[in-house]
Amino acid sequence: MRLACAEIDLSALQHNLQRTKEIAPHSKVMAVLKANAYGHGLVKIAQHLGDADAFAVARLDEALALRMGGITKPIVLLEGIFHPSDLPILIANNLQTVVHDETQLEAIEQADLDAPLTVWLKVDTGMHRLGIEPEQFEAFYQRLKGSKNVAENLRLMTHFSCADDQQNDKTQQQTSLFKQLVDGKQAPLCLANSAAVVGWPTTHFDWIRPGLMLYGVSPMLNQIGRDHGLVPAMRLTTRVIAVRKVKLNDAVGYGGRWSSDKDTMLAVIGLGYGDGYPRHAQNGTPVVILGKRYGIVGSVSMDMITVNIGDNPDGIKVGDEVEMWGPNLPVEEVAQCASTIPYELLCNVTPRVSYEYITAAR
Ligand SMILES: *Cc1c(COP(=O)(O)O)cnc(C)c1O
């Protein structure tokens, strides 16, 4: 019998892509698949996003894994190259690159390549992580246009820092600055991450760059996927491995961090931080057993968690399935109980968890 299992619903994934296209009907979709497709399985997810126009990853290794897996769609390296020796590999594997600084620009200008490279020039409009300064834009644009190593169709992009917050006008400011800079240039534009796709329709332009929403999870603060018509693609489950009694004041688990204020029963479930479940999930973080919510208690261990099931009115027994997050329990809510974001929980699912791909009727 399997314990920890990540069930990935490929029809939910496809539904979310269609929903994304409904929300941004005039934009091409660059589906973001970095970090093992947010923990969902890189190649498998790519194989089932046939309606995306391109894929994006953070690292060359991720792009090469996609090519090895038979994926032929355009792939963009969101952070570009890290060394000039990457460039021939990009050409050989038909990979597109972001240029966000002088080092990368010089490497491209000085390279001896068999074919020109498709480049996305990234401008820092206020995120202050990667990207050239607005004042450098014209010079970079001209140098890239003038390089024999750069393909005709130079593309332009920027990234938002606060699009998840609808009350913050930073997104508008970044968009205005970007529009002003690129005014008059005949180049495809790409700005929006999931939060901007959902919350800021004026940022959609030629291409959007969604990640999280494709997996059915809300990019917006205090909302869940369902609020945007999305369906969670991952259902993380395990099983009950023991049901036992504890007495009033018995301290449970490492550090004796929790004790009951009355006699109660615990379900011990077979999943822990060694599977990627957050160790910082607080007492009361919900799990679903037999269709009902119960709260975890005590420290999350590597392989196990204790769940308070009271006097066990529903007769929970060894072998019963437990949903940690999924369609019946939003990962957004679990993330909040662990003082983190759903991105981190999804990415952290470890290889010890068995992955099962299903196609639910929809
Ligand atoms: C990760 C990433 C995205 C996707 O972000 P989501 O919030 O998951 O939609 C888009 N653009 C860049 C540059 C990224 O690094």
Side-chain angles (χ1 to χ4, degrees):
M1 189 186 75
R2 274 185 182 163
L3 284 177
C5 179
E7 195 178 274
I8 310 294
D9 179 354
L10 296 166
S11 74
L13 181 79
Q14 283 163 352
H15 165 88
N16 295 332
L17 176 57
Q18 293 316 319
R19 179 72 192 121
T20 301
K21 290 173 170 236
E22 271 172 37
I23 298 173
H26 306 297
S27 306
K28 291 187 176 174
V29 178
M30 184 190 296
V32 181
L33 303 183
K34 61 196 180 188
N36 195 31
Y38 293 49
H40 292 68
L42 177 64
V43 172
K44 198 83 176 176
I45 294 299
Q47 284 168 343
H48 289 84
L49 286 176
D51 289 342
D53 300 285
F55 295 134
V57 293
R59 307 205 178 142
L60 183 52
D61 284 355
E62 296 172 325
L64 295 178
L66 285 172
R67 289 288 182 250
M68 290 283 285
I71 302 299
T72 56
K73 269 191 209 299
I75 301 176
V76 181
L77 296 175
L78 289 173
E79 292 154 31
I81 59 162
F82 303 117
H83 191 270
S85 61
D86 293 344
L87 285 170
I89 306 173
L90 266 56
I91 297 298
N93 291 278
N94 188 25
L95 305 176
Q96 305 181 5
T97 190
V98 164
V99 167
H100 63 73
D101 78 352
E102 180 81 24
T103 318
Q104 292 179 331
L105 174 59
E106 283 172 4
I108 290 172
E109 287 177 327
Q110 290 161 16
D112 182 14
L113 302 178
D114 293 339
L117 198 58
T118 297
V119 170
W120 295 80
L121 176 57
K122 180 167 186 171
V123 188
D124 174 14
T125 54
M127 171 85 169
H128 302 309
R129 190 178 61 183
L130 290 184
I132 58 165
E133 301 287 333
E135 303 75 54
Q136 297 176 295
F137 173 71
E138 196 57 41
F140 268 72
Y141 184 85
Q142 296 306 338
R143 280 171 68 182
L144 286 167
K145 279 282 184 194
S147 169
K148 64 175 188 334
N149 287 328
V150 176
E152 276 299 314
N153 54 349
L154 180 61
R155 295 134 187 244
L156 306 174
M157 66 183 281
T158 191
H159 192 52
F160 295 123
S161 58
C162 304
D164 59 339
D165 180 0
Q166 293 252 245
Q167 311 311 316
N168 193 329
D169 67 357
K170 182 79 183 260
T171 304
Q172 282 299 353
Q173 292 168 20
Q174 289 190 258
T175 307
S176 308
L177 175 56
F178 189 71
K179 273 170 67 180
Q180 194 185 316
L181 277 176
V182 307
D183 186 44
K185 303 277 192 276
Q186 291 302 313
L189 308 179
C190 181
L191 296 79
N193 56 0
S194 296
V197 169
V198 167
W200 303 88
T202 59
T203 65
H204 293 175
F205 295 95
D206 306 284
W207 285 83
I208 55 172
R209 231 168 37 241
L212 192 69
M213 70 185 298
L214 298 176
Y215 309 102
V217 177
S218 175
M220 307 310 277
L221 295 174
N222 305 316
Q223 290 189 289
I224 60 169
R226 198 195 305 132
D227 298 330
H228 320 295
L230 303 169
V231 178
M234 184 191 291
R235 181 166 176 269
L236 182 67
T237 65
T238 187
R239 292 187 184 271
V240 175
I241 63 169
V243 175
R244 51 170 305 163
K245 290 183 174 147
V246 289
K247 293 216 160 58
L248 160 77
N249 292 335
D250 279 350
V252 173
Y254 286 120
R257 213 159 63 85
W258 179 85
S259 51
S260 180
D261 56 7
K262 54 174 181 281
D263 291 359
T264 190
M265 294 185 78
L266 298 180
V268 183
I269 64 174
L271 179 143
Y273 65 79
D275 302 287
Y277 193 84
R279 204 181 72 85
H280 294 290
Q282 63 192 15
N283 284 326
T285 302
V287 301
V288 172
I289 313 176
L290 303 177
K292 237 168 89 178
R293 284 177 176 225
Y294 297 90
I296 72 168
V297 291
S299 299
V300 171
S301 312
M302 190 183 292
D303 316 305
M304 285 173 275
I305 302 173
T306 40
V307 178
N308 188 0
I309 56 174
D311 51 11
N312 195 13
D314 298 312
I316 291 169
K317 58 186 188 313
V318 170
D320 284 344
E321 191 190 69
V322 186
E323 182 170 322
M324 308 306 293
W325 61 66
N328 304 300
L329 178 53
V331 67
E332 294 91 330
E333 190 178 335
V334 179
Q336 207 155 47
C337 293
S339 308
T340 184
I341 53 174
Y343 296 84
E344 190 183 25
L345 298 192
L346 296 175
C347 289
N348 276 356
V349 174
T350 63
R352 167 166 92 164
V353 173
S354 41
Y355 277 71
E356 203 173 290
Y357 291 88
I358 62 157
T359 306
R362 204 163 295 285

